[in-house]
Amino acid sequence: MACAAVMIPGLLRCSVGAIRTEAASLRLTLSTLRHLTLTSIMKSKRKTDHMERTASVVRREIVSAAKVCGAASESPSVKSLRLLVADRDFSFKAGQWVDFFIPGVSVVGGFSICSSPRLLEQERMIELAVKYTNHPPALWVHNTCTLDSEVAVRVGGEFFFDPQPVDASRNLVLIAGGVGINPLLSILRHAADLLRERANKRSGYEIGTIKLFYSAKNTSELLFKKNILDLVNEFPEKIACSLHVTKQTTQISAELKPYITEGRITEKEIRDHISKETLFYICGPPPMTDFFSKQLENHHVSKEHICFEKWW
């Protein structure tokens, strides 16, 4: 998985002055970072472990100390964190994830960044959203993590949207399932930043339209609803969304109802957006990513225009 930083509602935040102070004081020695990285890699042995699954994926060399500067409940099962990143050379592309190193926890977490790169540039912050599971890093986030907890992060991943000003204009179709919204929200926020830059400076990358398809069990599990709808309302001619719920048992609010479809995202909905100028980004459970990527290929969408990432 920003203002140009979109704020997470209810998120506890450091003051600007405190951020500067914390950034100056937050440091881990190189030997400590190296020990934390190597120890975590050696002890991460689960077959579905993040480090095993992503062993061949490109990572940046920088491992930066970071401090938890905010936390909020995004849903009954998902907690968001805002991290102040110490290393000024730390950067990422919209859609990428971080290796998440926790002192005292031998297993490395792997969490997608859901904020825009612009938030990091302006405030030295990144945002994560972590679903509750029995995996040790997720348990730590939900049960142990507090404001000022210190961790270390390293960027990795080949799933990203990073257009250059001279690149051809593209439309985006973002297809998310459950917590798979995280990297796609980062891409959506980055797209909004590009739209603002284009409007304000009359320069930069000229993006086309963006359509988000997002499915979850019910509306309480649709993460970042307000953030998404705020962007739709800010750019009504450029950004649109279709929110799907598969097991809704309560009444849907009047505010959400125009955007909600009961039932899964269908092949036809996606097919209607196929064009030579459109890039497709898919993130969700493996059966979902497999299904839509295969359907797009069957409709002669170039593989270079289909990007997907599976969450486990």
Side-chain angles (χ1 to χ4, degrees):
M1 45 243 256
C3 182
V6 178
M7 305 303 296
I8 294 181
L11 195 64
L12 298 173
R13 294 182 292 139
C14 301
S15 68
V16 174
I19 287 173
R20 293 197 185 102
T21 302
E22 295 293 351
S25 63
L26 181 55
R27 295 290 184 271
L28 291 181
T29 66
L30 182 60
S31 60
T32 301
L33 286 171
R34 186 180 297 114
H35 173 74
L36 182 59
T37 304
L38 294 176
T39 301
S40 298
I41 290 172
M42 288 188 293
K43 292 186 177 180
S44 292
K45 295 298 183 183
R46 296 194 325 162
K47 187 174 182 180
T48 57
D49 180 76
H50 165 68
M51 298 301 287
E52 283 189 19
R53 291 196 315 270
T54 62
S56 62
V57 177
V58 174
R59 287 169 161 82
R60 296 202 60 184
E61 292 184 3
I62 295 170
V63 181
S64 176
K67 181 170 284 190
V68 176
C69 203
S73 293
E74 294 298 334
S75 80
S77 63
V78 175
K79 181 177 181 179
S80 62
L81 298 181
R82 175 171 279 213
L83 302 178
L84 173 66
V85 180
D87 196 316
R88 290 280 170 179
D89 292 325
F90 179 96
S91 65
F92 74 97
K93 299 173 182 177
Q96 290 186 301
W97 40 255
V98 291
D99 295 327
F100 192 78
F101 303 101
I102 307 163
V105 177
S106 63
V107 180
V108 180
F111 305 130
S112 292
I113 301 169
C114 56
S115 51
S116 164
R118 189 68 55 86
L119 180 63
L120 179 66
E121 294 168 7
Q122 294 182 337
E123 300 186 35
R124 301 312 305 162
M125 296 280 191
I126 63 171
E127 294 171 357
L128 311 175
V130 180
K131 187 176 179 68
Y132 181 88
T133 69
N134 288 325
H135 196 224
L139 284 175
W140 181 87
V141 168
H142 280 265
N143 298 335
T144 306
C145 174
T146 61
L147 291 180
D148 295 331
S149 289
E150 295 187 8
V151 297
V153 289
R154 176 176 58 195
V155 170
E158 297 158 354
F159 178 88
F160 57 80
F161 177 63
D162 184 41
Q164 302 307 301
V166 297
D167 289 346
S169 180
R170 299 292 187 188
N171 304 317
L172 300 183
V173 171
L174 313 176
I175 308 170
V179 77
I181 186 63
N182 287 345
L184 299 185
L185 181 64
S186 178
I187 291 172
L188 182 65
R189 287 169 158 172
H190 184 46
D193 286 339
L194 293 173
L195 288 168
R196 295 186 188 102
E197 181 180 18
R198 188 79 182 179
N200 294 334
K201 299 180 180 179
R202 303 294 178 184
S203 63
Y205 179 71
E206 184 175 3
I207 195 168
T209 60
I210 306 104
K211 180 63 181 275
L212 170 67
F213 293 92
Y214 177 21
S215 177
K217 183 171 63 174
N218 53 52
T219 53
S220 68
E221 292 292 345
L222 285 168
L223 309 178
F224 305 108
K225 296 182 288 290
K226 184 179 185 305
N227 298 145
I228 292 167
L229 295 185
D230 283 349
L231 293 179
V232 170
N233 291 325
E234 183 178 356
F235 301 103
E237 295 181 0
K238 284 287 191 176
I239 299 177
C241 73
S242 178
L243 307 177
H244 289 244
V245 291
T246 57
K247 296 181 180 179
Q248 185 73 20
T249 58
T250 59
Q251 187 172 355
I252 297 169
S253 69
E255 180 186 22
L256 278 180
K257 206 158 192 175
Y259 305 95
I260 295 288
T261 298
E262 297 201 43
R264 298 184 185 279
I265 303 167
T266 66
E267 176 195 350
K268 182 183 183 306
E269 289 176 285
I270 305 304
R271 190 172 67 239
D272 289 344
H273 291 271
I274 292 175
S275 76
K276 292 181 179 179
E277 294 75 34
T278 301
L279 304 178
F280 294 84
Y281 286 83
I282 313 165
C283 187
M288 174 186 171
T289 58
D290 290 343
F291 175 79
F292 283 115
S293 59
K294 185 64 175 175
Q295 291 302 317
L296 289 168
E297 285 184 34
N298 289 344
H299 286 92
H300 310 294
V301 176
S302 167
K303 287 186 177 182
E304 288 73 28
H305 287 190
I306 305 169
C307 307
F308 62 87
E309 185 154 271
K310 303 174 183 179
W311 59 262
W312 305 80

